[in-house]
Amino acid sequence: MEKLSKREYEIMKYFWKSDRPLSVSDIEECLKKENLAYVTIASFIKKLTKKGVLKISHKEGAFIYYLPNIERNEYERFMIDGFLQKNYGTSLIGVVARFCGKEKFSEKEEKELLDLLEKFEEK
């Protein structure tokens, strides 16, 4: 997975919020206050598709509709893990372990923590 630019992330938020596939025109409507040209938005969507975070859902005439290929929380977890690794040389599990006064968790403790986080995300 690749890091998204600020504008790419902003565009992806519309896809993540939507309950249906969106076209370039739909995103243009969402960003109408920004005065971005259709071709500029199309270029961003092409980049997002190339990065693998969007996928083509279907075509209707000249319009192509897209869906997210990853969940928002999956991308945000990727970004947080990258930040922690870059700045602290560890993962979220490592930060929590240090916070708890340990050098690291056992495999069992790590699995229990990941299970707990998954249950939290489901709510």
Side-chain angles (χ1 to χ4, degrees):
M1 189 177 316
E2 291 183 52
K3 182 179 177 180
L4 303 179
S5 70
K6 184 177 179 179
R7 178 69 72 186
E8 289 170 337
Y9 182 72
E10 181 182 334
I11 289 171
M12 280 305 299
K13 288 195 285 188
Y14 292 106
F15 284 98
W16 286 320
K17 288 179 188 176
S18 180
D19 59 350
R20 64 179 180 83
L22 300 175
S23 68
V24 174
S25 295
D26 294 325
I27 298 299
E28 182 181 35
E29 180 65 26
C30 294
L31 296 172
K32 65 183 171 188
K33 292 179 183 176
E34 308 274 336
N35 287 328
L36 288 176
Y38 181 93
V39 294
T40 302
I41 296 168
S43 177
F44 278 112
I45 289 178
K46 184 177 181 178
K47 288 177 187 176
L48 289 165
T49 304
K50 189 173 183 177
K51 287 182 176 185
V53 293
L54 280 181
K55 63 183 176 183
I56 294 174
S57 168
H58 64 282
K59 296 179 182 182
E60 288 181 19
F63 293 99
I64 301 173
Y65 289 83
Y66 300 86
L67 284 171
N69 201 31
I70 62 167
E71 297 292 326
R72 183 176 183 169
N73 64 357
E74 181 183 352
Y75 176 73
E76 290 174 350
R77 190 176 315 130
F78 162 78
M79 290 301 296
I80 291 168
D81 285 345
F83 173 81
L84 292 172
Q85 189 65 41
K86 178 181 175 185
N87 293 289
Y88 300 102
T90 189
S91 66
L92 177 60
I93 300 297
V95 170
V96 173
R98 288 185 184 151
F99 181 76
C100 294
K102 297 181 173 190
E103 188 61 32
K104 66 179 191 173
F105 286 126
S106 68
E107 285 185 35
K108 181 183 176 195
E109 290 171 320
E110 187 173 326
K111 182 176 178 352
E112 288 173 1
L113 180 58
L114 289 171
D115 289 345
L116 181 64
L117 289 171
E118 283 181 23
K119 288 178 187 175
F120 178 74
E121 284 180 354
E122 290 173 4
K123 292 182 180 180

